[in-house]
Amino acid sequence: MKAILVMITIMILGGNLLSKNQLRMSKQRLAILNTILDLRSHPTADEVYQVVRQKLPRISLGTVYRNLEILSSSGMIRKVPLGGPQMRFDGCTEDHVHIRCIQCGRVDDLPMDPPNTREGDIQKKSGYRIIGHCTVFIGICPVCQGEGGDEAA
Amino acid sequence: MKAILVMITIMILGGNLLSKNQLRMSKQRLAILNTILDLRSHPTADEVYQVVRQKLPRISLGTVYRNLEILSSSGMIRKVPLGGPQMRFDGCTEDHVHIRCIQCGRVDDLPMDPPNTREGDIQKKSGYRIIGHCTVFIGICPVCQGEGGDEAA
DNA sequence: ATAACTGCAAACGTTTTGCCAGCAT
DNA sequence: ATGCTGGCAAAACGTTTGCAGTTAT
C-alpha cells in the first residue's frame, strides 16, 4: 500500500509537479514521506524526525520541517492542527475526523463522516468561501481511562 | 450582558471556586475577563494584552498568560486552538463552530449546529470517553475575497 | 551551469517559569 | 503569617530562515 502510494507520488512528481517547480524527490524527502505513510498515525515533526533519523542519521530537523511543508503544500500529506502545541501530519489526505486524548495526546481517526454541514449553506450564512474544515473531538482514550477499555481504531 | 456575566463570575468565585482553591478576582484578572467578554471575538493572548494594557498599563504579558490559563481551566472562558500558531480565547463557553480565514486569520462564529454526531456512537466505536469537540472551517472571508462579499456574522 | 536541495546553526515568535515583592485573608 | 498574586526577565519550546556546500539535471 505504502509502496503504491509512493510510486504514485513519484509518477506525479515526474509529471505535473515536476514541470511546475522542479520539485525533486530526494532520498530525505522520500524517507519523510515513507515514514508518514508507514506510521499511519499523526506524528509531530519531531516524531517524524526521530523515525527518519534511524535510516538517515545525518538528516537535520530543519530538513524535516522544510519537507513536511513542501509535501503538505503539494497535497501529498496533510498538515493537521489538532490542538496541542505542535503541528501534526497525516498521510491520509481525505477529509476525516480526529479524536485526541486530553491526557496522553494520542490521536486516532474517528470512523464517522465529516460534519453534515451543507457547505453551500455555510457560504451563504457566513459570506466565507469554504475551503475545508477540521473537526477534532477531545476525549479520554481507552488506555487512559484506566486500562479498562479496548483499543480504538 | 458583560456586566451580568461578570457578576455571575464573581458570585461563582465567592462560592464554589473560591472555596476550592482560593482563587481571587484581582483587578488584573477581572480586566482580562472583561476584555474577552467585551471583545466577542477570538483574541490571541497578545491581543488581550494590548487591550488590557490600555486600562492597566503596568500589566505584564506573563500575567495575561497566567490568567488566561486560570480562567480557562476554571471554565470561565475557553481556550480554542484554531489552527494558527497562536492559541485563541473565547468568552463563549458553549459548543459552537468557528470559521477561520486562511488569508487574514480572522475568526468568526458560524451560525450552525455543532456536528450531528451522536456522542454515544462515537464512544462505542472509538472507545474514547468524549469530552468535547472543536470544529473549525477554513475559508476565505468576505473581505479577503476582494471586498465583493458582505460581512459575516 | 543552473537550480533545487541538505545540514548546520542562529533567529524567531509564542508561551512558560523563577524570583521577589505586594496584597488579601 | 500564610499563600495567592503580579511584574519582570530569562528560559523553553516549536518552527523558520540564512548560508555555504552538495546533488541532480
Side-chain angles (χ1 to χ4, degrees):
Chain A
M1 184 55 169
K2 174 209 76 183
I4 294 170
L5 284 165
V6 171
M7 283 171 61
I8 293 171
T9 301
I10 292 172
M11 287 166 60
I12 293 171
L13 285 174
N16 291 339
L17 289 173
L18 239 181
S19 61
K20 284 187 181 166
N21 52 0
Q22 292 298 117
L23 191 65
R24 292 173 197 158
M25 194 45 119
S26 67
K27 66 173 190 290
Q28 289 89 341
R29 185 167 299 160
L30 185 58
I32 289 166
L33 178 57
N34 271 344
T35 298
I36 291 175
L37 296 178
D38 267 353
L39 279 179
R40 298 191 149 276
S41 61
H42 307 80
T44 63
D46 195 70
E47 284 165 3
V48 173
Y49 174 56
Q50 297 305 337
V51 175
V52 172
R53 215 135 94 103
Q54 295 167 14
K55 299 241 165 167
L56 301 170
R58 297 191 45 82
I59 199 173
S60 79
L61 186 54
T63 297
V64 172
Y65 272 102
R66 252 186 307 239
N67 281 302
L68 289 173
E69 187 57 40
I70 290 170
L71 290 171
S72 57
S73 57
S74 306
M76 280 178 273
I77 62 173
R78 212 176 239 223
K79 201 173 180 177
V80 273
L82 290 176
Q86 295 144 298
M87 193 58 65
R88 287 170 178 272
F89 298 87
D90 193 341
C92 173
T93 57
E94 277 154 42
D95 257 3
H96 60 287
V97 175
H98 293 110
I99 185 162
R100 181 170 54 89
C101 176
I102 204 173
Q103 281 183 24
C104 68
R106 165 181 162 184
V107 176
D108 285 302
D109 291 336
L110 220 42
M112 63 174 281
D113 294 331
N116 59 335
T117 54
R118 302 290 155 134
E119 300 206 341
D121 281 8
I122 300 174
Q123 297 198 191
K124 247 182 288 172
K125 287 182 188 167
S126 68
Y128 276 73
R129 180 141 49 90
I130 307 293
I131 293 173
H133 73 91
C134 179
T135 299
V136 187
F137 281 80
I138 311 295
I140 299 178
C141 77
V143 177
C144 289
Q145 278 175 51
E147 326 301 307
D150 26 351
E151 287 295 306
Chain B
M1 184 57 168
K2 175 210 75 183
I4 294 171
L5 283 165
V6 172
M7 284 172 60
I8 292 172
T9 302
I10 292 173
M11 288 167 59
I12 292 171
L13 285 175
N16 290 339
L17 290 172
L18 239 181
S19 61
K20 283 187 182 169
N21 53 359
Q22 292 298 117
L23 191 66
R24 290 173 199 157
M25 196 44 121
S26 67
K27 67 173 188 293
Q28 288 89 343
R29 186 168 299 159
L30 186 59
I32 290 167
L33 179 57
N34 272 343
T35 298
I36 290 174
L37 296 178
D38 268 352
L39 280 180
R40 299 190 149 277
S41 61
H42 307 80
T44 62
D46 195 70
E47 284 166 2
V48 173
Y49 174 56
Q50 297 304 338
V51 175
V52 171
R53 216 135 93 102
Q54 294 168 13
K55 300 242 164 165
L56 301 170
R58 296 190 47 81
I59 199 172
S60 78
L61 185 54
T63 298
V64 172
Y65 273 102
R66 251 187 306 242
N67 281 301
L68 289 173
E69 186 57 40
I70 290 169
L71 290 171
S72 56
S73 56
S74 307
M76 279 178 275
I77 63 174
R78 213 176 239 224
K79 201 174 184 176
V80 272
L82 291 176
Q86 296 142 298
M87 193 57 65
R88 287 171 177 271
F89 297 87
D90 193 341
C92 173
T93 56
E94 276 153 43
D95 259 1
H96 60 287
V97 176
H98 293 110
I99 185 163
R100 181 169 55 89
C101 176
I102 204 173
Q103 282 183 25
C104 68
R106 166 180 163 183
V107 175
D108 285 303
D109 289 336
L110 219 42
M112 63 173 280
D113 295 330
N116 59 335
T117 54
R118 301 290 154 136
E119 300 207 341
D121 280 8
I122 299 173
Q123 298 198 194
K124 247 182 288 172
K125 286 183 192 168
S126 67
Y128 275 71
R129 181 141 49 91
I130 307 294
I131 293 173
H133 74 92
C134 179
T135 298
V136 188
F137 281 81
I138 312 296
I140 299 178
C141 78
V143 176
C144 288
Q145 279 176 49
E147 326 303 305
D150 24 350
E151 287 294 306

